């Protein structure tokens, strides 16, 4: 065998060994982590439906803040097609508002409102989508300072600064039972805090992947709930078992930074104190997918006791809320004069 032939054989052997070694290493390589959120998809209530009248969205409106000097908030207002300016309507506030109202986003809350109000599964309501404040000098976000602390400061933005603007422009009921507030992550603990501090104004809360952890002391809520008289608050909580679990880069576990565990702790405290609470624990990570898929059902549950007629002759109540003419007078019962 010539030297060139020997070299070619040796090269083939080396390539074969390298290939087999690479294959063996590939076989030993751990599989890619599963996409937990792939199981959550938007349903028809989150999509535009033919024949459903669309509400309007106005904004953004700039709201300068006295509570946080040098900061301004932007908000948008959803006005349902059924709003006539004469009848009082309910109110829903969404923290991190731009995320909830994105037409191609995770939540598509405007579509949800259009569809469920049209079918009478929600009362007619104004919805305000408010973003975290930004410093006017440089545009830096004030989100964490506003949302994470378990104190009353951010509630003053909603109650003392936002609500007067909304009341001045729209005919919104002043009844706190007809006011709800929603949020995800830090926006969720902020929503809960607004209701906790001001149940005279808000009594319904949607909490998605809530940050009830020790970013700014939020892990204390279960103890606060147990130590306080029960407040007239209704809460729907969701989180995923694969949310941030409080293990740092060094493998050290901090229970106060375990998102899922702290959500469960708060739920347990609310249940123990007799709160009107609903919850769902999925398999998602710290993301929006589960919240988007569940938003319509969460809204139905939160507003489940809005007035409903049981009159069998009330055909308007049984139909879509599209501004139909007044129902005909009910026939008198047999024997009546």
């Amino acid at each position: 065998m010539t030297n060139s032939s020997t070299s070619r054989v040796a090269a083939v052997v080396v390539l074969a060994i390298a290939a087999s070694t690479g294959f063996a290493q590939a076989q030993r390589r751990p599989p890619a982590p599963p996409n937990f959120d792939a199981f959550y998809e938007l349903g028809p209530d989150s999509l535009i439906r033919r024949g459903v009248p669309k509400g309007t969205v106005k904004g953004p409106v700039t709201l300068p803040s006295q509570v946080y000097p040098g900061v301004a908030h932007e908000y948008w207002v959803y006005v349902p097609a059924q709003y006539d300016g004469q009848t009082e309507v309910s109110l829903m506030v969404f923290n991190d508002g731009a995320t909830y109202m994105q037409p191609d986003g995770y939540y598509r809350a405007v579509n949800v409102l259009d569809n469920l109000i049209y079918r009478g599964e929600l009362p007619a309501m104004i919805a305000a989508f408010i973003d975290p404040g930004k410093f006017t000098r440089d545009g830096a976000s004030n989100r964490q300072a506003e949302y994470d602390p378990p104190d009353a400061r951010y509630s003053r933005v909603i109650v003392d600064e936002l609500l007067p603007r909304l009341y001045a422009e729209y005919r919104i009921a002043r009844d706190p039972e007809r006011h709800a507030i929603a949020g995800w992550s830090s926006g969720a603990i902020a929503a809960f805090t607004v209701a906790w501090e001001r149940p005279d104004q808000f009594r319904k809360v949607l909490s998605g992947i809530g940050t009830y952890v020790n970013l700014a002391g939020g892990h204390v809520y279960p103890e606060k709930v147990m130590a306080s008289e029960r407040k007239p608050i209704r809460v729907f909580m969701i989180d995923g078992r694969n949310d941030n679990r409080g293990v740092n880069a060094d493998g050290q576990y901090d229970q106060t930074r375990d998102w899922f565990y702290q959500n469960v702790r708060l739920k347990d405290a609310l249940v123990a104190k007799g709160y009107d609470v609903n919850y769902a624990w999925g398999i998602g990570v710290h993301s929006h997918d589960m919240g988007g898929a569940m938003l319509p059902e969460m809204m139905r549950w939160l507003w489940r006791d809005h007035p409903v007629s049981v009159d069998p002759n009330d055909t308007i109540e049984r139909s879509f809320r599209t501004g139909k003419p007044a129902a005909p007078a009910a026939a008198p019962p047999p024997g009546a004069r």
Side-chain angles (χ1 to χ4, degrees), residues 314-316 323-329:
D314 189 350
T315 58
I316 300 300
K324 292 179 170 58

Side-chain angles (χ1 to χ4, degrees), residues 160-183:
D160 299 335
E161 296 181 346
L162 178 62
L163 286 190
R165 287 278 196 99
L166 299 176
Y167 287 144
E169 294 190 38
Y170 305 100
R171 192 168 178 80
I172 297 171
R174 305 297 179 105
D175 181 357
E177 296 287 353
R178 296 181 65 182
H179 295 176
I181 185 165

Side-chain angles (χ1 to χ4, degrees), residues 48-121:
I48 295 174
R49 306 297 300 275
R50 289 194 304 272
V52 174
K54 291 198 64 65
T56 58
V57 176
K58 302 180 180 181
V61 179
T62 300
L63 181 67
S65 181
Q66 300 300 315
V67 178
Y68 296 94
V71 167
H73 297 82
E74 285 193 338
Y75 69 92
W76 296 257
V77 178
Y78 164 85
V79 182
Q82 296 79 6
Y83 180 73
D84 60 12
Q86 305 300 315
T87 306
E88 287 189 340
V89 294
S90 298
L91 172 67
M92 186 94 193
V93 174
F94 292 86
N95 292 330
D96 286 307
T99 300
Y100 276 99
M101 60 179 286
Q102 288 174 357
D104 58 350
Y106 295 97
Y107 297 98
R108 309 188 193 188
V110 170
N111 295 343
V112 173
L113 291 165
D114 283 340
N115 291 328
L116 300 192
I117 292 173
Y118 178 57
R119 298 202 301 265
E121 295 174 17

Side-chain angles (χ1 to χ4, degrees), residues 7 33 57 93 104 197 247 252 267 291 325 333:
S7 298
V57 176
V93 174
D104 58 350
E197 296 290 340
V247 179
Q252 301 299 312
K267 179 272 297 181

Side-chain angles (χ1 to χ4, degrees), residues 178-214:
R178 296 181 65 182
H179 295 176
I181 185 165
W184 59 270
S185 192
S186 292
I189 187 175
F192 183 82
T193 298
V194 169
W196 178 263
E197 296 290 340
R198 297 300 303 270
D200 61 314
Q201 297 294 329
F202 287 88
R203 295 186 179 176
K204 293 177 170 62
V205 180
L206 292 188
S207 170
I209 57 174
T211 308
Y212 303 101
V213 295
N214 192 17

Side-chain angles (χ1 to χ4, degrees), residues 264-284:
V264 173
R265 285 186 69 230
L266 178 55
K267 179 272 297 181
D268 288 344
L270 292 168
V271 170
K273 290 291 286 190
Y275 279 79
D276 187 5
V277 58
N278 200 353
Y279 62 94
W281 308 140
I283 62 171

